[in-house]
Amino acid sequence: MIQSSELILNPDGSVYHLNLRPEHIANDIIFVGDQNRVEKITQFFEKIEYSTQKREFKTQTGYYRGKRLSVISTGIGPDNIDIVLNELDALVNIDLETRMPKAELTSLNIVRIGTSGSLQAEIPVDSFVMSQYALGLDNMLRSYLVDQVTDSQMEDAFINHTSWDLKKGRPYAISSSEMLANRFDDAQIHRGITATAGGFYGPQGRVLRLPIGDAELNSKMDNFSYNDMKITNLEMETSAIYGLSALLGHQALSLNAIIANRATGTFSKDMYKAVDELITYSLEKLSADY
């Protein structure tokens, strides 16, 4: 039995941070970072059956073209993803009454919709990027036994290419769900590697008043290539989503609307239009029969 100190429940039986009970979520779930983006997606729903919010974690579950979907805001960073994915898994794979894991695994389909800047000139603003792999620079997943789901050869290639300082921890490489990648694939989608940092400033090479350990890291990442895949963008959630999903038995895919291109110095003239188009594209793919 899982002790109450390890799986914390609210007085109404909902999981502690997400404020959700099992009946409140669908099997197909969209992640967004910003709580204000939840309703940008659910505005397209025909019906919303449940809404809740606790801290930055906002959830709405409803129907789009007859398909039951949940939209959840995760907030920023791998630490928040650790909370969200573990609590979602508990909702479907742990009996909250007996506190015992269920005998049969329930696998969730999780699609992250985000915005990001491209690192490659050939990926223009207003395009969509699918994270075929995620490269975690954050160390969070190393709290778990991850070797069964990571690509050590990609990790070694990245470490050698960037002269990575292992005092920062070993980067980890995780594949997206092949099933979801095939389901969402399209001629307009760019594929590549998404790097996930554990912070916004120093971890992503930004310098304000503090010097950083490797001022050349971003340029090394720009020209890293593995099996004809380049690092397309840099953000703060995808590797944690892929890693925990793979370990827990869920399917995960991360999509980004590219609103800036660092290589060409360009920025979207209408980023909100690009995000809306990615939302519509994702909803149509999730609601289609397969």
Side-chain angles (χ1 to χ4, degrees), residues 20 23-26 28-29 38 42 45 47-52 59-63 68-72:
L20 295 169
E23 64 268 22
H24 296 152
I25 63 165
D28 294 278
I29 299 173
V38 171
T42 61
F45 285 16
K47 175 185 176 183
I48 296 173
E49 67 176 31
Y50 185 77
S51 297
T52 190
T59 301
Q60 290 192 327
T61 295
Y63 291 85
R68 190 169 186 252
L69 301 170
S70 293
V71 185
I72 300 176

Side-chain angles (χ1 to χ4, degrees), residues 1-3 7 9 13 15 21-22 87-104 106:
M1 184 176 75
I2 301 170
Q3 298 298 314
L7 175 58
L9 301 179
V15 289
R21 290 178 53 83
E87 291 195 0
L88 282 177
D89 181 76
L91 289 173
V92 295
N93 288 312
I94 296 173
D95 185 319
L96 300 185
E97 299 293 331
T98 65
R99 294 181 169 273
M100 296 291 293
K102 296 179 180 178
E104 186 174 341
T106 295

Side-chain angles (χ1 to χ4, degrees), residues 135-198:
L135 186 64
L137 312 178
D138 56 278
N139 247 357
M140 185 280 291
L141 205 70
R142 291 291 176 190
S143 297
Y144 302 94
L145 301 174
V146 300
D147 290 347
Q148 59 183 304
V149 298
T150 56
D151 187 326
S152 60
Q153 291 183 327
M154 182 185 291
E155 294 163 6
D156 288 339
F158 179 80
I159 290 167
N160 292 334
H161 179 80
T162 61
S163 300
W164 182 263
D165 184 355
L166 288 175
K167 287 185 291 187
K168 297 190 290 187
R170 180 181 173 88
Y172 57 93
I174 309 274
S175 173
S176 66
S177 160
E178 183 177 358
M179 180 273 288
L180 286 178
N182 290 335
R183 185 168 169 178
F184 277 76
D185 200 14
D186 190 271
Q188 65 181 306
I189 298 285
H190 296 268
R191 289 181 176 229
I193 303 167
T194 291
T196 296

Side-chain angles (χ1 to χ4, degrees), residues 13-33:
S14 61
V15 289
Y16 182 67
H17 296 91
L18 298 186
N19 214 34
L20 295 169
R21 290 178 53 83
E23 64 268 22
H24 296 152
I25 63 165
N27 268 42
D28 294 278
I29 299 173
I30 295 173
F31 280 0
V32 293

